[in-house]
Amino acid sequence: GCGNGNYGIGFQNFLGEGFRSYTGIDIYKDKNYPAQYSHILCNAEKSADYLDGHNLIVSQSSLEHMENDKFILKEVTKTLCDSNKPFIQIHVVPATASLILYGWHGWRQYSHKNLGSIFNNLTFSNKIKMKAIPLGGWASFYAHLRYITVPYLLKKIFSKYNIHGSTTHTQKIKSTALKDKHTKASIPIFWAFIIYSNDINFDSLFKEEL
């Protein structure tokens, strides 16, 4: 679900000299997809066929649009395990609270319980570990509702209403997201569902303060 490929640019900027390559997979190719990155045109069910040489798999608000999510993750994880190389998968998926914020979309929203069910489907291998990290909380929920959801609804009703918001609004949303990262979210907006090979010390990859 690479869309317009902006995440490739983000990874390259963030990783600097540690960046090697980026390949996007999607059922279409966006007209603005960066020419410097590879692109594979296929559906998610076949994505495991194109993982050779890749060790970081990321999807953002994409997995919920895939009908056969358990099958896809099982095939991808099996292929990565068979490579006998370290790997990380990060799938950012909407939690139940997203229904209020931007309505029904895709096939499902995710809870800690059904993420656990997906992981149980991957127990064919003892080479992997999993984390389900809640993203956002009450502050993020309120900020999204006030600065994104309500303006969007007003735009639908009053076509001249500006939904793009101001720089101040963007800063407020960012500050609330940072505030929520210090709390154990009781109402997450998203989950980061992470599957990784057990030869990786996942927690050591992150700084205490970002």
Side-chain angles (χ1 to χ4, degrees), residues 54-88:
H54 294 81
N55 60 3
L56 174 62
I57 311 299
V58 178
S59 70
Q60 162 66 52
S61 299
S62 182
L63 202 60
E64 69 270 22
H65 296 284
M66 302 174 190
E67 181 178 4
N68 303 308
D69 60 337
K70 287 186 178 180
F71 170 81
I72 293 164
L73 289 179
K74 187 171 184 178
E75 291 298 298
V76 167
T77 303
K78 185 177 185 303
T79 298
L80 292 170
C81 286
D82 289 346
S83 72
N84 292 315
K85 297 178 181 179
F87 69 84
I88 299 176

Side-chain angles (χ1 to χ4, degrees), residues 99-103 144-163:
L99 280 170
I100 299 172
L101 295 176
Y102 50 97
H144 192 295
L145 187 68
R146 180 177 178 181
Y147 299 120
I148 300 176
T149 304
V150 171
Y152 176 80
L153 292 174
L154 290 173
K155 173 67 175 178
K156 297 287 283 187
I157 300 171
F158 307 105
S159 59
K160 293 183 180 180
Y161 189 87
N162 178 20
I163 67 167

Side-chain angles (χ1 to χ4, degrees), residues 11 39 43 64 101 108 132 143 177 186:
F11 285 128
H39 186 281
N43 60 37
E64 69 270 22
L101 295 176
R108 68 193 72 80
S186 59

Side-chain angles (χ1 to χ4, degrees), residues 108-209:
R108 68 193 72 80
Q109 283 70 45
Y110 290 86
S111 66
H112 199 271
K113 182 178 180 180
N114 59 15
L115 289 175
S117 174
I118 291 175
F119 184 68
N120 289 336
N121 194 49
L122 303 177
T123 53
F124 60 84
S125 174
N126 59 3
K127 298 180 179 180
I128 60 173
K129 295 180 181 178
M130 182 216 54
K131 286 183 179 289
I133 301 174
L135 302 177
W138 283 108
S140 298
F141 180 89
Y142 176 73
H144 192 295
L145 187 68
R146 180 177 178 181
Y147 299 120
I148 300 176
T149 304
V150 171
Y152 176 80
L153 292 174
L154 290 173
K155 173 67 175 178
K156 297 287 283 187
I157 300 171
F158 307 105
S159 59
K160 293 183 180 180
Y161 189 87
N162 178 20
I163 67 167
H164 297 295
S166 64
T167 302
T168 302
H169 288 177
T170 301
Q171 291 172 343
K172 287 181 178 179
I173 292 169
K174 183 176 181 179
S175 67
T176 56
L178 291 173
K179 183 190 301 182
D180 278 336
K181 83 182 181 72
H182 294 293
T183 65
K184 186 175 181 181
S186 59
I187 178 172
I189 311 304
F190 289 92
W191 293 96
F193 182 52
I194 302 166
I195 306 165
Y196 58 102
S197 52
N198 59 14
D199 49 1
I200 291 178
N201 182 352
F202 186 82
D203 293 332
S204 70
L205 301 177
F206 298 90
K207 298 178 181 178
E208 181 64 25
E209 295 292 336

